Amino acid sequence: MPTLENELRRLMAEETVDLHAAPDLLERVVARTRSRRRRLSATAAALSVAVIAAMPVGYVAAGSLATFPDQVTATVEPPAIDDTPPMRSDPPDLGDLGDGREFGHVKVGYLPKRLRWKHWSIDFGDSYSVTYDYKGDKNGFYCVQIYMYENDASLEVTDRIQTYRSEEDGEDVTVGGRAGYLVIQNVGEDGMKGTPTMFVQLKERQWAEISFSPTYAKDLKSVTAVKAELRKIAQGLSSTL
């Protein structure tokens, strides 16, 4: 029968097997960790029984010392509990949106020429989004993004607008009689041009955020053209709430 020391050495040696970098290293480490925790738990339980069975009659443990001065108890950790959190899954999307001109609780009445839905969306419940580009390619770079905020999520927009106002960044606008705010977000210190964005309130607790990628904004040639297209998209949005 293998001794406790030998068994522990063998188990520790297993921990170094196959430890080399690989593309799927993370997934394999998680899987192996779970497997080893179960195996170590079973081994620990078996060793506990073996140690107890080997104790002489009259043996009474006190911490790690026994009443027999020439013997020391083997302290065995309790079986480990596998509390590894589940791997994060991708957020849900909005499904098949057809031409992408109606999603969630909003209809898109105007899009600049040549733009089409990228077949990409994301859905967090009270906030959700779609993007548009020239090819409808899910894996390509976006040109225009429309992000919707409803109910409690709409407070995020009003807080951001208030921050922009306090920093004197951007300007209040009115779009078709609705409150809005125009600002360039994400201006980088490395010279990036930032993201032209217009917020527009569709309902009391429903806001839309319309953003142009810096590359698409550059394609429009001028600040005047960027503002005009943002305003047209905002004005063409209608709520279905």
Side-chain angles (χ1 to χ4, degrees):
M1 177 177 179
T3 64
L4 173 62
E5 183 181 12
N6 290 337
E7 180 65 12
L8 290 175
R9 283 177 177 171
R10 183 184 66 79
L11 291 172
M12 291 172 65
E14 281 191 5
E15 296 296 328
T16 63
V17 175
D18 297 332
L19 290 183
H20 54 86
D24 61 341
L25 178 61
L26 177 59
E27 291 79 5
R28 290 197 295 106
V29 168
V30 172
R32 289 175 66 87
T33 299
R34 289 176 174 168
S35 175
R36 285 177 182 145
R37 282 183 176 178
R38 289 192 294 268
R39 189 164 65 248
L40 286 169
S41 296
T43 301
L47 289 173
S48 298
V49 174
V51 171
I52 292 172
M55 292 179 182
V57 177
Y59 181 94
V60 178
S64 61
L65 298 177
T67 56
F68 293 85
D70 60 338
Q71 299 185 45
V72 179
T73 63
T75 303
V76 181
E77 294 293 332
I81 299 175
D82 188 359
D83 57 355
T84 305
M87 298 292 286
R88 179 181 176 183
S89 59
D90 291 333
D93 58 34
L94 297 172
D96 185 1
L97 300 177
D99 63 1
R101 300 288 288 262
E102 182 174 358
F103 60 97
H105 301 116
V106 65
K107 289 183 179 180
V108 181
Y110 171 81
L111 277 177
K113 291 180 180 179
R114 297 172 52 207
L115 292 189
R116 63 187 73 181
W117 179 44
K118 275 176 49 63
H119 289 86
W120 176 93
S121 65
I122 196 167
D123 181 12
F124 294 110
D126 282 354
S127 62
Y128 48 92
S129 177
V130 300
T131 54
Y132 305 90
D133 69 356
Y134 293 126
K135 298 180 180 179
D137 180 7
K138 183 175 182 178
N139 298 315
F141 293 103
Y142 85 100
C143 293
V144 174
Q145 179 172 22
I146 300 177
Y147 216 121
M148 299 299 302
Y149 301 85
E150 297 170 359
N151 302 318
D152 289 345
S154 65
L155 299 176
E156 176 186 337
V157 175
T158 54
D159 286 346
R160 287 162 62 189
I161 291 175
Q162 186 56 44
T163 299
Y164 288 135
R165 285 193 186 113
S166 64
E167 295 175 350
E168 298 184 351
D169 188 8
E171 59 182 304
D172 286 286
V173 295
T174 302
V175 182
R178 300 181 295 201
Y181 202 84
L182 179 64
V183 67
I184 298 178
Q185 300 187 105
N186 308 319
V187 177
E189 295 180 358
D190 57 356
M192 290 183 62
K193 297 299 183 181
T195 306
T197 302
M198 180 173 287
F199 298 96
V200 61
Q201 185 176 24
L202 304 186
K203 293 279 188 178
E204 181 179 356
R205 288 164 62 86
Q206 184 187 39
W207 282 80
E209 177 183 6
I210 307 160
S211 300
F212 288 179
S213 72
T215 300
Y216 180 66
K218 184 178 179 180
D219 288 347
L220 295 177
K221 306 299 184 183
S222 69
V223 173
T224 300
V226 168
K227 289 183 176 181
E229 291 294 83
L230 281 170
R231 182 176 290 274
K232 288 179 183 178
I233 296 173
Q235 192 162 355
L237 296 180
S238 59
S239 173
T240 59
L241 280 175

